[in-house]
Amino acid sequence: MSGLFITIEGTDGSGKTTQLGLLKEYLENKGFSVVCAREPGGTVISEKIRNIIIDKEYKKMNAKTEALLYAASRAQLVSEVIVPTLKKGDIVICDRFIDSSIVYQGDARKLGFENISSINFFATDGIEPDITFFLKLDPEQSIERKKKQEELDRIESENLYFHKKVFYGYISLAEKFSERIKTIDAFADIYTIHRNIVEHIENLLLQKSF
């Protein structure tokens, strides 16, 4: 596939949506065709699955059920949106991807790296991002930002211990896959973060002769 697959990761409240929008605008201004997606979600079927995952009524959801629902949503997004877009030679920017499942379900839910990697390899046919940005914001700051929302969903409502496990899971993952995952200080101002992301993107575009 000749396109470019970019993912943005981080704890809730780290500014992923804002940075996705800025990056989309930047790339489109350079003449690229860009498709944005979010996880879980991004297709009609995936959004239905998302509603189940985040519904606070389902507090008794088994961790394996949760992991499989994320993988199912992802499988639909990959087949319906991501792969067709990349085959056309265009750019996909996705708010979360497999890394989220590894840290939220693999680490915080204690299902393990291998288990989560295995079910998601099957779900996605092994597709991986060309580059991932981890917006690093510690759990305390993340929770403070999320408090400004009217209502938190089932995952956002988890306790501080859970969100700390997610945070340190991301740090470990970024160290393990440092060539792909670029750590960005999400406590900086919005446009400093954007400039840091753009610098990495420009280098990648040169490498791929995109």
Side-chain angles (χ1 to χ4, degrees):
M1 287 179 282
S2 58
L4 188 66
F5 184 21
I6 303 165
T7 58
I8 302 179
E9 296 279 356
T11 53
D12 295 312
S14 58
K16 299 186 308 301
T17 304
T18 298
Q19 293 303 323
L20 185 149
L22 289 172
L23 182 56
K24 179 178 187 291
E25 181 181 6
Y26 173 81
L27 289 168
E28 287 180 336
N29 286 339
K30 290 179 71 68
F32 296 107
S33 178
V34 182
V35 172
C36 293
R38 69 171 182 174
E39 283 216 320
T43 73
V44 172
I45 294 171
S46 300
E47 290 292 334
K48 294 286 187 181
I49 297 172
R50 176 189 179 88
N51 290 338
I52 296 171
I53 291 172
I54 68 174
D55 194 326
K56 292 174 71 172
E57 290 187 12
Y58 304 139
K59 291 182 179 180
K60 293 183 179 180
M61 185 181 292
N62 181 274
K64 292 179 182 178
T65 303
E66 182 180 278
L68 290 167
L69 284 172
Y70 274 107
S73 173
R74 186 167 293 129
Q76 190 66 30
L77 179 65
V78 166
S79 65
E80 190 175 332
V81 176
I82 295 176
V83 167
T85 301
L86 295 178
K87 282 184 174 179
K88 290 194 297 183
D90 295 333
I91 296 176
V92 176
I93 311 175
C94 196
D95 182 343
R96 299 193 181 284
F97 198 59
I98 295 174
D99 295 321
S100 282
S101 286
I102 290 172
V103 298
Y104 278 85
Q105 285 75 52
D107 291 325
R109 300 290 193 211
K110 301 179 181 179
L111 295 181
F113 176 87
E114 293 299 330
N115 287 330
I116 299 302
S117 296
S118 178
I119 63 173
N120 279 282
F121 185 88
F122 172 73
T124 65
D125 291 324
I127 190 171
E128 291 185 348
D130 293 288
I131 191 168
T132 298
F133 296 103
F134 163 43
L135 303 186
K136 183 180 177 183
L137 185 72
D138 69 52
E140 289 82 3
Q141 293 166 339
S142 174
I143 289 172
E144 281 301 311
R145 289 186 182 183
K146 296 304 288 185
K147 282 180 180 178
K148 297 176 182 179
Q149 290 186 194
E150 291 184 5
E151 187 176 1
L152 302 179
D153 66 33
R154 189 178 65 85
I155 306 297
E156 293 168 342
S157 299
E158 288 286 352
N159 59 33
L160 180 59
Y161 175 76
F162 177 88
H163 290 291
K164 282 186 175 180
K165 290 286 289 182
V166 169
F167 176 70
Y168 289 112
Y170 269 126
I171 290 176
S172 176
L173 203 62
E175 291 174 351
K176 185 173 184 177
F177 299 103
S178 58
E179 288 190 10
R180 172 176 63 84
I181 303 177
K182 309 304 179 184
T183 300
I184 307 290
D185 179 12
F187 197 63
D189 68 87
I190 290 172
Y191 293 102
T192 296
I193 296 170
H194 175 60
R195 286 194 298 271
N196 289 337
I197 289 173
V198 164
E199 183 177 345
H200 287 292
I201 290 295
E202 289 293 345
N203 290 335
L204 181 61
L205 292 174
L206 287 173
Q207 292 170 18
K208 289 178 68 72
S209 299
F210 197 78

